[in-house]
Amino acid sequence: MRLTSEQIERYSRQILIPDLGGTGQIHLRQGRILVIGAGGLGCPAGFYLAAAGIGTLGVLDSDQVELSNLQRQILHTTSDLGRQKVESAREKLNQLNPEVEIRLHPVRLTEENAAEIFDLYDFIVDGSDNFDTKFLVNDVAVKLGKPFSHAGIIRMQGQTMTVIPGRSACYRCLFREPPPPGEIPGCQQAGILGAIAGTVGSIQATEAIKYFMGLEEDLLVDRLLTYDAKEMKFRTIDVRQDPQCKACGGK
């Protein structure tokens, strides 16, 4: 694969980065990424991945656009109310970069369809908003050997980590089981500042791009990055593989 003159111009500012260059841009063009959730995290992640020139971008979401989404879900506008989120997302992403192949998955992720969908992609960005889905993403990705970015946001805080199965700790090494229903409130109960989603979703996109740049040694593996926007502080927490982990067994 070679870059066209138009592609070189479009991606010129990132091709200038020594760690990327033309070869890295070609790797991005050949890459396939699945974004789970066209919501607060998935919108900014998908936007920057499309802008960066990822070759294939899958968008998975079964919901429709609601008025309360627009405060943080930047791929949707007022005129999209009532539309399928995946359709709204595809329209904006194609307007931004028509070269990107957008694959739509207007479904909920389940134990029955996860493996089949994950098989189509090289890297997964988990922008889901519930613990059951996050644990499902982890377990299936680890089983299939698919690297992924985890993230969660609430109020004025966020967290994210990257998992490389077979090499790093996984989400279950950090949190063994989902919390009991109702113990931890979601965004609908606790609220979320929209810009928090933008910050954390952008970090997820950065991690995915770095993966295709070949910067695996510099990924956010075995570390949980936390973000407190109120105090404007970032910190990292070391995460170790759990030998008793149900998903990865510490391997």
Side-chain angles (χ1 to χ4, degrees):
M1 176 183 287
R2 300 184 64 179
L3 299 174
T4 66
S5 59
E6 183 177 327
Q7 289 170 337
I8 292 173
E9 181 178 359
R10 177 184 285 270
Y11 307 119
S12 60
R13 297 304 186 270
Q14 62 192 38
I15 290 175
L16 289 170
I17 300 171
D19 285 320
L20 184 70
T23 300
Q25 189 63 54
I26 290 172
H27 289 162
L28 287 176
R29 292 285 302 140
Q30 296 171 331
R32 303 170 300 169
I33 297 178
L34 173 66
V35 175
I36 299 174
L41 293 168
C43 283
F47 196 85
Y48 276 111
L49 290 171
I54 198 70
T56 302
L57 188 61
V59 183
L60 186 150
D61 201 307
S62 63
D63 292 340
Q64 296 178 332
V65 179
E66 299 178 358
L67 187 59
S68 61
N69 300 151
L70 303 184
Q71 162 258 5
R72 65 198 178 281
Q73 299 180 17
I74 61 173
L75 288 179
H76 315 303
T77 67
T78 303
S79 63
D80 295 313
L81 293 176
R83 292 182 69 189
Q84 286 284 330
K85 285 187 179 180
V86 292
E87 294 286 354
S88 172
R90 175 168 61 181
E91 179 182 350
K92 313 310 186 306
L93 295 172
N94 277 338
Q95 288 175 352
L96 173 66
N97 192 345
E99 291 188 337
V100 178
E101 177 187 352
I102 309 296
R103 295 176 179 171
L104 302 188
H105 303 279
V107 298
R108 289 190 65 83
L109 193 71
T110 66
E111 293 181 1
E112 290 72 31
N113 64 21
E116 181 179 1
I117 294 173
F118 284 15
D119 268 338
L120 301 172
Y121 300 94
D122 307 309
F123 191 97
I124 297 158
V125 173
D126 180 13
S128 62
D129 61 359
N130 65 86
F131 288 103
D132 288 342
T133 302
K134 292 186 184 304
F135 278 91
L136 176 61
V137 170
N138 179 84
D139 295 350
V140 176
V142 168
K143 183 177 180 179
L144 297 178
K146 300 287 184 177
F148 71 96
S149 170
H150 151 78
I153 50 175
I154 193 169
R155 293 175 178 154
M156 297 184 71
Q157 298 177 329
Q159 64 178 34
T160 181
M161 67 181 287
T162 300
V163 176
I164 307 294
R167 203 194 103 192
S168 73
C170 76
Y171 184 62
R172 275 196 190 271
C173 293
L174 182 62
F175 304 107
R176 290 193 173 186
E177 301 289 344
E183 180 175 298
I184 299 179
C187 291
Q188 289 183 342
Q189 295 81 33
I192 175 69
L193 185 66
I196 305 300
T199 300
V200 178
S202 296
I203 292 173
Q204 289 188 279
T206 304
E207 287 288 282
I209 292 168
K210 285 164 55 183
Y211 175 79
F212 288 100
M213 290 170 63
L215 299 177
E216 287 195 32
E217 296 301 321
D218 299 307
L219 293 174
L220 194 60
V221 296
D222 295 328
R223 294 177 294 154
L224 180 72
L225 177 69
T226 66
Y227 171 43
D228 185 330
K230 184 176 181 180
E231 298 184 4
M232 198 47 69
K233 290 182 179 179
F234 287 88
R235 69 184 182 120
T236 56
I237 302 169
D238 290 337
V239 182
R240 294 183 178 182
Q241 288 184 297
D242 179 2
Q244 305 303 317
C245 176
K246 290 183 179 180
C248 72
K251 297 180 181 179

